[in-house]
Amino acid sequence: MEAIRKQATKLREQVARQQQAVLKQFGAGGYGGSDNVVTDEVELQHHQKLEKLYISTRAGKHYQRDIVRGVEGYIVTGSKQLEIGTKLSEDSRKYGAENTCTSGSTLSRAALTYARACAQMEKERGNLLKALGTQVAEPLRAMVMGAPLEDARYLTQRYDRMRQEFEAQAIEVSKRQAKVREIPGNAENAMKLEAAEAKLQDLKSNMAILGKEAAAAMAAVEAQQQRLTLQRLIAMVEAERAYHQRVLQILDQLEGEMISERQRIEAPPTPSVDNMPPPPSYEEVNGVFASQTHNGSTDFMGYFLGEVMFPYRADSDVELNLSVGDYVVVRKVTNNGWAEGECNGKAAG
């Protein structure tokens, strides 16, 4: 279709050049005067400008339509991703809330954290899809289907048909002028020539007016296309940029929280009893030094830690009740040979 249109335009321009040559051949008489030839050259330039405007606005329309289709496809795909992400968020929340794991709740807390972040990200995705629809697709679709473009194209097409009619009438005038010169004094030929020239002048005047209107309308549409399409592209970029920035913030926060949970479960185990520092002595617990001076002599104490292997029930107040697994601190006074023990904060000798 495009090739046919270009070929037709080329043929019309060839006819116009032939017409100008014919008009120059007839000299200054009638339509073929030098001023008219100049006017025809200006009109040809005007016509070529309209052709460029028509091609430009058509390409702009197609690009706007491509953007609309692309955005609509993005919205359809994004809506499906939104649905999947929301389902995953709900599943994670359900696991975190209903966890029955007996070895800890680390994964439950991580699942709840992920569910919350996922819900926030899908909310941001929904905002992005809404922005693309209302700020990009709808305005461009309205312009593609809008009246200004259609009206300008209609004026251009009317101008194009009138120009073809003008070219045909110019050739008719040339023929009439040739007959008048071949048969001088023929009143009928003179009248037909006069009528043809009058019609040609009317067509020329109307074509000039319509051409200006079409050019102005097409130029206005082209400017609007360029401005509006650029604005919508910027709006699309800004919406996507804001979306990705917000999602990045959510992911950064989520990653930090989940790494903290992982570090908690991967932390080194609690030191064993063998590596534990010795427990404080009875006297240290009660604010007494490990060595004391009694009557000028120093009493030295030692102690050791033992684990109860068999239970024992005390028979008196000076004995200890012991259960399997309890730890007993046994202290020995070296200078008099007696010892005392402590278990669960209770001491006995």
Side-chain angles (χ1 to χ4, degrees):
M1 198 64 189
E2 178 65 20
I4 295 175
R5 181 176 180 81
K6 289 182 178 179
Q7 185 64 24
T9 301
K10 184 177 180 181
L11 291 174
R12 287 197 298 271
E13 292 177 352
Q14 290 177 353
V15 171
R17 285 193 291 269
Q18 292 173 358
Q19 169 197 337
Q20 292 174 19
V22 171
L23 295 176
K24 289 179 180 178
Q25 180 180 358
F26 288 109
Y31 176 73
S34 59
D35 292 340
N36 290 328
V37 173
V38 173
T39 303
D40 289 338
E41 292 176 352
V42 173
E43 190 276 330
L44 179 60
Q45 295 176 358
H46 191 67
H47 170 72
Q48 291 173 346
K49 179 181 178 181
L50 262 178
E51 284 288 326
K52 292 179 181 179
L53 284 169
Y54 190 91
I55 294 172
S56 172
T57 53
R58 181 179 56 195
K61 176 181 178 180
H62 290 171
Y63 181 49
Q64 289 176 331
R65 185 178 294 161
D66 290 340
I67 295 175
V68 171
R69 290 173 178 171
V71 169
E72 288 176 345
Y74 189 93
I75 291 174
V76 171
T77 304
S79 298
K80 185 62 178 178
Q81 291 176 327
L82 176 60
E83 180 182 346
I84 295 172
T86 302
K87 180 65 167 58
L88 178 57
S89 172
E90 179 60 24
D91 291 342
S92 298
R93 186 204 62 77
K94 184 177 180 181
Y95 174 82
E98 300 176 1
N99 171 47
T100 57
C101 180
T102 59
S103 61
S105 58
T106 301
L107 181 57
S108 298
R109 292 195 297 271
L112 288 174
T113 302
Y114 177 78
R116 182 178 64 255
C118 189
Q120 292 174 347
M121 288 188 291
E122 295 311 321
K123 181 180 178 182
E124 294 297 329
R125 188 194 302 275
N127 294 337
L128 170 64
L129 298 180
K130 182 178 179 181
L132 293 178
T134 58
Q135 299 179 19
V136 180
E138 291 180 6
L140 291 179
R141 187 187 300 109
M143 188 167 186
V144 168
M145 305 300 295
L149 176 60
E150 293 303 317
D151 291 345
R153 290 164 67 91
Y154 175 71
L155 286 174
T156 301
Q157 291 166 359
R158 280 184 56 196
Y159 166 80
D160 195 50
R161 290 193 296 269
M162 185 173 292
R163 188 172 187 275
Q164 295 178 28
E165 187 178 355
F166 171 80
E167 291 170 353
Q169 186 63 24
I171 294 175
E172 179 66 20
V173 168
S174 299
K175 292 179 180 179
R176 295 293 178 186
Q177 289 176 340
K179 287 184 179 181
V180 168
R181 286 183 174 80
E182 289 173 0
I183 310 174
N186 189 314
E188 183 179 357
N189 288 340
M191 291 178 60
K192 289 182 179 181
L193 173 59
E194 185 179 352
E197 289 178 341
K199 183 178 180 181
L200 183 64
Q201 290 297 327
D202 289 341
L203 286 172
K204 180 181 178 181
S205 177
N206 293 335
M207 184 180 65
I209 295 173
L210 186 59
K212 289 180 180 179
E213 292 178 0
M218 291 295 284
V221 169
E222 183 188 50
Q224 186 184 25
Q225 274 185 340
Q226 299 289 309
R227 183 178 64 256
L228 179 62
T229 305
L230 177 58
Q231 290 175 351
R232 295 310 95 198
L233 281 176
I234 293 174
M236 182 166 61
V237 170
E238 289 176 345
E240 291 193 75
R241 179 173 176 270
Y243 163 73
H244 289 295
Q245 283 184 332
R246 179 57 183 148
V247 168
L248 181 59
Q249 293 174 356
I250 296 172
L251 288 174
D252 285 341
Q253 181 178 356
L254 173 62
E255 182 186 30
E257 294 177 0
M258 297 186 76
I259 288 178
S260 297
E261 293 293 339
R262 185 181 67 183
Q263 291 174 344
R264 184 177 293 110
I265 63 175
E266 293 180 353
T270 304
S272 63
V273 174
D274 295 338
N275 297 325
M276 291 178 61
S281 66
Y282 177 78
E283 287 77 7
E284 289 175 336
V285 172
N286 291 275
V288 182
F289 293 100
S291 62
Q292 296 179 341
T293 301
H294 299 282
N295 300 323
S297 64
T298 302
D299 298 332
F300 294 96
M301 298 181 186
Y303 60 86
F304 64 89
L305 181 67
E307 182 180 0
V308 178
M309 304 299 294
F310 302 97
Y312 177 79
R313 181 178 297 278
D315 293 331
S316 65
D317 294 339
V318 296
E319 296 180 337
L320 297 173
N321 289 317
L322 303 177
S323 300
V324 176
D326 287 345
Y327 287 93
V328 180
V329 178
V330 180
R331 302 180 186 83
K332 182 179 179 181
V333 180
T334 59
N335 59 350
N336 56 13
W338 62 270
E340 67 176 2
E342 178 182 346
C343 181
N344 296 326
K346 182 177 180 182

